[in-house]
Every structure is written in structure tokens, then in C-alpha cells.
Amino acid sequence: MRRFGCVVLHAFFLVILAVEAPAQTPYPSKPIKIIVPYAPGGLTDVVARLYSDQLRQSFGRGVFVENKPGASGIIAIEEMARARPDGYTLMIGNISTNALTPVLLAKKMKIDYERDVQIITPLADVPVFFLATTTKFAADDFSPKTFADFIAYAKAHPGKVSYGSAGFGSYQQINTEILAKRAGIALVHIPFKGGGADIIRDLANGDIHVSWFNITNPVGMMKAGRVRALAIASDQRLPQHADVPTLSEVGFPGMRASQWVAAFAPSGVPPEIIETLHKAFLKAMTVPEMQEAFARGGMVVPRQSSLQDPKAWLRDEMASWKHDVEDVGIVVEE
């Protein structure tokens, strides 16, 4: 009986080990979902798809992008944060959704952003044009050739000039309100649920007057003469757009120098999986095809860093935006 009992006990432990074996499977062992808080075609979506291609090759597993636009990124953030913390649901967001939304719309979120979300790494920095439509409005003669022309027109037509943004609390909305406050002008906000693709379409069609826009998509519209860059949010003029002055040059120093895009995960994802993802994203940045795609789009690959650096950087970024918003007295309501 003793020998039989030992055999049974040994078999029992073999069963336990067999049950636990899948937990030891190296990550990743199945497809990874990347949630994007915008419709397809915009900057964040483009960056997400570039990196998903590289992760797919690096991991040898499926990596697919799922677009979840709306509510200033809250829909996407909450779905990601509530996902099983196993590294198979990530989010690629940007300066609007993952720095401004948690600061300005925290009361609208059903999660605690700082507790439930963690950053993996920044993925891209992007200079931003301040664009104006060149399409004549039926009811006015809006046709600024320079940034000074725009300011003068807005002052002469208070409350008549409209600007587009990706929604309340977005980079475009907050940056425009900061600009308006400093310039002493009043502008009309037109939010777009679909993000960049819808904004540039309506700007080119003359349905809105101005907007901030990253330099990756509007070049074709600029060459076609449908929109005009009046200034660029950048530390210095870009060689490929040498005729476009910086905001400092047109009299508004201290405005944001660029947009950024970064990767995020639920806070409960184990450190070893976050480390694996962090290394994979950094490796993707070094691939020649990625660097060429970034150069074509005017994007800049961020400085490679340790896991701790992005966490400190995001805290500082959010604190800086909170200060700027409070400084000019912006109140966001939706």
C-alpha cells in the first residue's frame, strides 16, 4: 500500500506540473493587440502600424492594431487598462490622449490613470505645423499669408475664426487656447472624433480656418496649395521646410516644440514582460527601414533609455502641461 501511495503521489505531482507548464511559456506565445485611440490614417495610427510590423518580425507572432477612437482617448485607455495584465493588450497613444486627457478629464475616466496605466517607452517625436486653409470662405476673405496676417485677421474678426482639434483636452485644443490667450484673440473650437484625417480634410476643404498638424500628413495638401503652413512648433526651422518660421520667430516663444507618441500597458503587466516589450520597441527603432520611414515623415526617433526614464519623463510632462493649463486659466468642459 505504501508503494502504491507513492506512485499515486508521484502521478499527482506530474499532473500539477503539467497544469502549471503553460504559465512558464515564454512571452509572447499568442497574438498581441495594440489599441490606437484614433481612426486609421493619422499620425498615431501610422506609428502604431510601423512598430507593429517590426514587433511581428521580432517576436514571430501576430501583432494587430485595433482602432478605438472617441472621448479624447478615454475609450481606448480604459479598454487597455482593464485588459488582462498579461502583455497581450497594449496601447499606442500620444501627447493628447496620454498626457493631457489624464490631467484635464480625470473626472470623466472610470479608472485611476496613474495607478492603472504604465508607460513602456516613447516611440516618436514629431514637429507640428500651424496650418491655415487657403480655400476662400463664402462669408469672409480669410487668406493669411503669414502668421502675423492670421493674428491680425483673428483680432479683426473675434469669434469668427474656427480651429479643428482631435477633441476636448487634445494637444491642438490646449495649444490653440494657450496661443489665443497669449495673442489676445478669440477662436471657435471644432472637435473631430476621427482625429487627424478628418481635420486635414475639412481644413483643405475650407470648413475650418486653422489647426495644428504634425508634419507627416499635410505635405501633399501643402504642395497642392490647399493649406499653408504659417509656423512650425519646433526648436529650429526644418531643412525640408526652410520657408516656414518657428513659433519663436513669429513672436511666441515657449510653445510646445513637438508632439510625441508612446507605448503603454496595464500597470499589472509583470516587469519581465514590460522589459521584453521595452527591448523590442528599442530594437525596432534601430531598423534601417524604420529610420527611413521616420525620416520621410519628418519624425524623430526618441533617445533610447532605460525603463525608469520614461516613467520619470511622463510624470514631468504631465506636470508641465498642468502648470501651463492653470497658468492661462483654461477650463475644459465636454
Side-chain angles (χ1 to χ4, degrees), residues 38 43-44 47 92-100 102 113 119 121-128 171 214 256-264 300 302 310 313-318 321:
Y38 297 102
L43 166 67
T44 307
V47 172
I92 289 183
N94 63 22
I95 192 171
S96 294
T97 58
N98 292 78
L100 282 166
Y113 184 84
I119 185 170
T121 186
L123 301 177
D125 290 322
V126 191
V128 184
Y171 169 92
N214 66 75
R256 294 289 164 171
S258 66
Q259 288 186 309
W260 51 258
V261 178
F264 300 85
V300 178
W313 167 79
L314 184 60
R315 282 196 300 269
D316 291 345
E317 180 76 1
M318 290 173 66
W321 274 111

Side-chain angles (χ1 to χ4, degrees), residues 219-237:
V219 175
M221 296 291 189
M222 290 166 62
K223 290 181 178 178
R226 300 183 66 184
V227 297
R228 177 180 290 113
L230 302 181
I232 189 166
S234 177
D235 292 331
Q236 57 189 6
R237 294 195 186 201

Side-chain angles (χ1 to χ4, degrees), residues 175-247:
N175 231 26
T176 306
E177 293 298 333
I178 291 173
L179 172 65
K181 183 84 171 185
R182 294 180 182 177
I185 57 179
L187 305 174
V188 179
H189 179 212
I190 308 295
F192 288 79
K193 181 179 179 180
D198 290 350
I199 295 171
I200 193 65
R201 179 201 63 213
D202 279 21
L203 189 67
N205 289 339
D207 296 319
I208 55 175
H209 291 83
V210 296
S211 183
W212 301 94
F213 214 92
N214 66 75
I215 69 172
T216 58
N217 285 345
V219 175
M221 296 291 189
M222 290 166 62
K223 290 181 178 178
R226 300 183 66 184
V227 297
R228 177 180 290 113
L230 302 181
I232 189 166
S234 177
D235 292 331
Q236 57 189 6
R237 294 195 186 201
L238 302 182
Q240 61 270 46
H241 301 286
D243 60 328
V244 181
T246 67
L247 285 170

Side-chain angles (χ1 to χ4, degrees), residues 137-149:
F137 279 67
D140 60 36
D141 57 349
F142 182 79
S143 57
K145 299 293 192 299
T146 67
F147 196 85
D149 290 343

